[in-house]
């Protein structure tokens, strides 16, 4: 086909593919423009573990989980905390619509496209311990069979098929530098053609310019992602008054091309970009021993059992336990004045609760390998886990607590732990394990979580003393902040049309995915319950594609 198109999609990630799928189903012509090469088709979604937020699903019901739209919406809105009249006006409407999608059409929509789920539902962001506060009241994280790569394939296949029919043209290595706006309407994009490259997925690519381009269409859809790979931009929007100073050092959970450029370009063109101070970063980052992009970190997905200490050896206060309240924990850790914290675990805890985020770290799900999946019912002996334990620079493994603390101090010589303090925290915790009941709120949470059978079988070790030799050796994990998702973004209507800073709609300009805060400029608000964020890309990309297919001439 020629460069003539009905819609220009800026960004070849998941939201862009979903929108292109919906547009081509309606016979619309699409040009997909992306600054990376074809190997990066699908964007960040490829690296995801593949979790999907679903409500009252067949998987939940088979496990005896009683969920509903009303309960999920109450959880979502309490967690989001939308409190800005102008910036959150559309975000809240998107939140209500998204939870409705998760409770309704989301699963059948994906099932019709061939996506399948593992019959185990995970429980993340368990909350702050109040029925009206942040957190998932019940397990809602559904694991995709095939993880993130399968989610990408689900939409990549029909889009590539549409390209063969002449409905889609890919413009790889085309970096958009400007939106073309004429008479107040977005009519196209201009930018630079970058030097061709054969770099593998995720590896930083050269930025040498070899030409320029201009493309025009009836509408432009921005699906270019967030800013997690751009630490300078992250620091510029860091909410110091709310979270304290940004860490001096951060790990990076996304490739370098997740740079936030289109957010700035949209704002310069007159689009409303809101809530960029809302970020969903992880406290449990470890440096990847085999990095793909600069500063590559991997998130440790903890069960609720590890003892969490700050950099000085003090136990984090309730309810700041592993897997409970990410943002509140981040706020507390930033108040300590240090950029790292520690998990102390036994080997028995590691066997059950040392899980890693990402498709490459979960070969059982990614490779659809049932034999490997069964290992989750036994021990975490998959190769990526063993590799991190053996080669990760943030891991210390010792037989005794005194030698463990010595090893921890070797890693962080500028912030040395006092052994007596660590020993007091460990001993106090261990005294509470003697009975099946306790005044220790973390142990209460462990017992509560193990009442849910899949967590008991697959995810959570039986409560035991850290200093019980039968469960040794001891393992310490240094944790640092890991950048990941941008919760704010381009403000849009419920049809994904971009709003101007004045509040009027921006003719011809649309946005979806992380670039739009997953819808409306931030449907998650301050806290996220979803997990991998794939669902928000699917929903907003679908909404944008359907709206454009319906409304264009």
């Amino acid at each position: 086909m020629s460069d003539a198109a009905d819609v220009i999609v800026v960004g070849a990630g998941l939201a862009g593919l979903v929108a292109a799928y919906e547009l081509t189903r309606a016979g619309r012509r699409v040009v997909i423009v992306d600054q990376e090469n074809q190997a990066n088709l699908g964007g960040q979604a490829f690296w995801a573990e593949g979790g999907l937020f679903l409500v009252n699903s067949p998987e939940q019901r088979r496990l005896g989980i009683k969920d509903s739209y009303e309960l999920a919406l109450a959880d979502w809105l309490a967690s989001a905390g939308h409190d800005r009249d102008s910036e959150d006006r559309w975000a809240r409407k998107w939140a209500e619509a998204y939870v409705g999608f998760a409770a309704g059409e989301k699963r059948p929509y994906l099932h019709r496209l061939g996506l399948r789920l593992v019959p185990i539902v995970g429980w993340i962001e368990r909350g702050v311990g109040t029925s009206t506060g942040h957190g998932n009241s019940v397990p809602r994280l559904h694991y995709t069979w095939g993880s993130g790569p399968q989610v990408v394939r689900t939409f990549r296949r029909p889009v590539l098929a549409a390209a063969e029919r002449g409905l889609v043209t890919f413009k790889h290595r085309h970096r958009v530098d400007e939106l073309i706006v004429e008479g107040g309407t977005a009519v196209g994009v201009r930018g630079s053609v970058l030097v061709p490259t054969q770099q593998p997925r995720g590896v930083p690519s050269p930025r040498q310019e070899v030409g320029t381009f201009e493309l025009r269409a009836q509408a432009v859809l921005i699906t270019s992602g967030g800013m997690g790979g751009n630490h300078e931009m992250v620091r510029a929007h860091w909410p110091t008054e709310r979270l304290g100073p940004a860490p001096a050092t951060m790990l990076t959970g996304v490739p370098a091309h997740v740079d936030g450029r289109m957010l700035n370009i949209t704002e310069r063109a007159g689009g409303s970009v809101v809530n960029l101070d809302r970020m969903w970063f992880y406290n449990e980052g470890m440096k990847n021993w085999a990095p793909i992009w600069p500063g590559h970190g991997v998130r440790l997905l903890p069960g609720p059992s590890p003892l969490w200490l700050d950099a000085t050896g003090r136990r984090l206060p309730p309810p700041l336990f592993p897997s409970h309240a990410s943002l509140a924990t981040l706020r507390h850790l930033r108040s300590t004045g240090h950029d790292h914290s520690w998990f102390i675990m036994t080997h028995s805890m590691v066997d059950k609760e040392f899980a890693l985020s990402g498709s490459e770290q979960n070969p059982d799900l990614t490779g659809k390998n049932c034999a490997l999946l069964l290992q989750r019912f036994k021990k975490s002996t998959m190769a990526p886990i063993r590799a991190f334990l053996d080669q990760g620079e943030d891991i210390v493994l010792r037989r005794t607590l005194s030698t463990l603390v010595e090893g921890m101090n070797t890693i962080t010589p500028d912030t040395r732990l006092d052994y007596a303090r660590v020993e007091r925290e460990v001993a106090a915790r261990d005294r509470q394990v003697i009975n099946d009941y306790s005044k220790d709120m973390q142990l209460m949470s462990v017992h509560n979580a193990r009442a849910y059978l899949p967590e008991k079988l697959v995810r959570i070790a039986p409560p035991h003393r850290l200093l019980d030799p039968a469960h040794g050796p001891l393992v310490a994990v240094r944790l640092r902040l890991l950048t990941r998702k941008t919760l704010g973004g381009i403000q849009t209507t419920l049809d994904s049309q971009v709003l101007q800073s004045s509040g009027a709609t921006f003719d011809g300009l649309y946005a979806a995915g992380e670039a739009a805060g997953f819808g409306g400029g931030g449907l998650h608000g301050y806290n996220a319950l979803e997990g991998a964020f794939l669902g928000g890309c699917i929903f907003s990309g679908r909404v944008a594609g359907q709206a454009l297919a319906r409304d264009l001439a």
Side-chain angles (χ1 to χ4, degrees):
M1 63 177 279
S2 69
D3 289 345
D6 296 307
V7 179
I8 297 167
V9 176
V10 182
L14 179 60
L17 290 179
V18 175
Y21 165 70
E22 292 292 344
L23 284 161
T24 56
R25 286 181 67 200
R28 298 292 187 173
R29 298 168 301 161
V30 179
V31 172
I32 299 177
V33 182
D34 195 274
Q35 63 182 344
E36 299 306 313
N37 64 14
Q38 187 174 1
N40 289 277
L41 194 60
Q44 289 176 247
F46 177 89
W47 302 104
E49 188 179 9
L52 293 171
F53 179 90
L54 295 173
V55 177
N56 192 28
S57 68
E59 289 75 20
Q60 286 176 302
R61 293 194 295 271
R62 281 194 291 268
L63 293 168
I65 299 168
K66 297 177 176 63
D67 200 7
S68 67
Y69 169 76
E70 292 76 17
L71 179 62
L73 183 61
D75 285 349
W76 192 285
L77 295 180
S79 301
H82 295 121
D83 59 2
R84 298 170 177 172
D85 291 342
S86 175
E87 293 91 335
D88 287 335
R89 177 190 170 200
W90 289 99
R92 182 181 174 112
K93 294 179 180 179
W94 269 89
E96 294 170 350
Y98 178 63
V99 176
F101 180 61
E105 179 62 15
K106 185 178 183 179
R107 187 184 184 280
Y109 175 69
L110 295 171
H111 194 271
R112 287 194 298 269
L113 288 166
L115 199 66
R116 297 295 181 263
L117 303 173
V118 176
I120 295 173
V121 183
W123 197 356
I124 60 168
E125 284 300 302
R126 300 161 199 235
V128 296
T130 66
S131 58
T132 57
H134 163 66
N136 279 303
S137 296
V138 298
R140 295 190 175 110
L141 184 66
H142 294 65
Y143 298 98
T144 300
W145 192 229
S147 70
Q150 183 60 41
V151 177
V152 171
R153 284 191 292 269
T154 298
F155 293 96
R156 183 181 64 191
R157 281 193 295 253
V159 170
L160 291 178
E164 292 179 359
R165 300 195 306 272
L167 290 175
V168 176
T169 294
F170 289 96
K171 295 288 185 181
H172 293 291
R173 301 296 288 159
H174 283 56
R175 185 188 67 202
V176 172
D177 299 323
E178 179 187 0
L179 292 170
I180 304 173
V181 181
E182 295 177 352
T185 299
V187 298
V189 296
R190 294 190 186 98
S192 304
V193 180
L194 304 179
V195 62
T197 176
Q198 299 300 314
Q199 296 276 44
R201 181 187 290 272
V203 174
S205 62
R207 289 294 180 259
Q208 179 185 349
E209 299 172 9
V210 295
T212 61
F213 73 94
E214 179 175 310
L215 296 169
R216 290 174 175 256
Q218 291 190 64
V220 176
L221 171 62
I222 300 169
T223 59
S224 54
M227 61 181 178
N230 183 344
H231 286 200
E232 181 179 352
M233 190 171 179
V234 166
R235 294 181 189 284
H237 292 282
W238 184 270
T240 304
E241 73 290 345
R242 195 171 74 247
L243 296 181
T249 59
M250 296 182 281
L251 299 174
T252 308
V254 294
H257 61 75
V258 185
D259 55 18
R261 293 184 72 257
M262 285 306 301
L263 298 173
N264 293 331
I265 290 168
T266 301
E267 193 166 38
R268 286 200 300 270
S272 175
V273 179
V274 297
N275 300 320
L276 292 186
D277 62 315
R278 295 176 182 169
M279 310 169 187
W280 196 247
F281 297 161
Y282 295 118
N283 304 293
E284 309 95 345
M286 301 182 297
K287 189 172 182 180
N288 194 336
W289 67 272
I292 297 172
W293 53 79
H296 188 172
V298 173
R299 185 193 181 194
L300 172 59
L301 294 170
S305 301
L307 182 68
W308 202 339
L309 305 177
D310 69 18
T312 69
R314 291 182 174 88
R315 188 178 182 184
L316 271 58
L320 308 183
F321 312 132
S323 76
H324 278 68
S326 293
L327 187 63
T329 303
L330 172 58
R331 184 183 303 113
H332 174 79
L333 289 174
R334 295 311 309 137
S335 73
T336 69
H338 300 283
D339 290 353
H340 70 277
S341 61
W342 292 98
F343 275 175
I344 292 182
M345 311 172 70
T346 65
H347 204 275
S348 293
M349 291 178 189
V350 169
D351 286 343
K352 284 284 190 181
E353 303 188 28
F354 196 103
L356 300 174
S357 174
S359 56
E360 77 277 24
Q361 308 298 339
N362 291 275
D364 54 342
L365 297 176
T366 303
K368 301 182 181 181
N369 189 318
C370 292
L372 276 180
L373 183 65
L374 290 174
Q375 289 189 17
R376 293 180 183 249
F377 291 87
K378 299 176 182 179
K379 295 184 176 182
S380 299
T381 54
M382 284 182 285
I385 303 295
R386 292 196 303 270
F388 262 87
L389 293 173
D390 293 341
Q391 304 187 58
E393 68 177 56
D394 297 307
I395 306 294
V396 181
L397 191 150
R398 298 288 190 274
R399 287 287 174 185
T400 66
L401 184 61
S402 60
T403 55
L404 186 78
V405 172
E406 288 176 9
M408 296 160 75
N409 284 334
T410 299
I411 290 179
T412 57
D414 295 334
T415 312
R416 295 184 64 81
L417 294 161
D418 177 59
Y419 172 70
R421 174 181 290 168
V422 175
E423 184 183 38
R424 283 196 301 271
E425 296 285 12
V426 170
R429 182 260 180 207
D430 278 4
R431 284 194 293 269
Q432 297 297 315
V433 187
I434 297 172
N435 298 294
D436 291 336
Y437 44 87
S438 169
K439 73 175 183 180
D440 188 298
M441 291 185 66
Q442 182 176 0
L443 292 172
M444 293 181 197
S445 179
V446 171
H447 286 295
N448 178 59
R450 280 174 57 84
Y452 171 52
L453 187 60
E455 294 279 272
K456 181 177 182 178
L457 294 177
V458 179
R459 191 75 177 97
I460 304 176
H464 58 271
R465 292 186 301 112
L466 289 169
L467 298 184
D468 184 346
H471 293 278
L474 290 166
V475 178
V477 186
R478 178 179 58 171
L479 306 171
R480 287 173 282 177
L481 187 73
L482 179 71
T483 67
R484 187 65 64 90
K485 296 298 181 184
T486 308
L487 295 189
I490 302 168
Q491 195 172 29
T492 66
T493 69
L494 284 176
D495 283 335
S496 294
Q497 188 168 11
V498 173
L499 295 167
Q500 300 179 55
S501 53
S502 65
T505 54
F506 198 138
D507 290 343
L509 190 60
Y510 295 74
E514 191 177 352
F518 305 95
L523 65 83
H524 291 280
Y526 291 96
N527 290 281
L529 296 182
E530 187 176 6
F533 297 84
L534 300 176
C537 289
I538 292 168
F539 180 55
S540 59
R542 180 177 185 252
V543 167
Q546 291 180 348
L548 283 161
R550 179 189 67 231
D551 294 340
L552 293 183

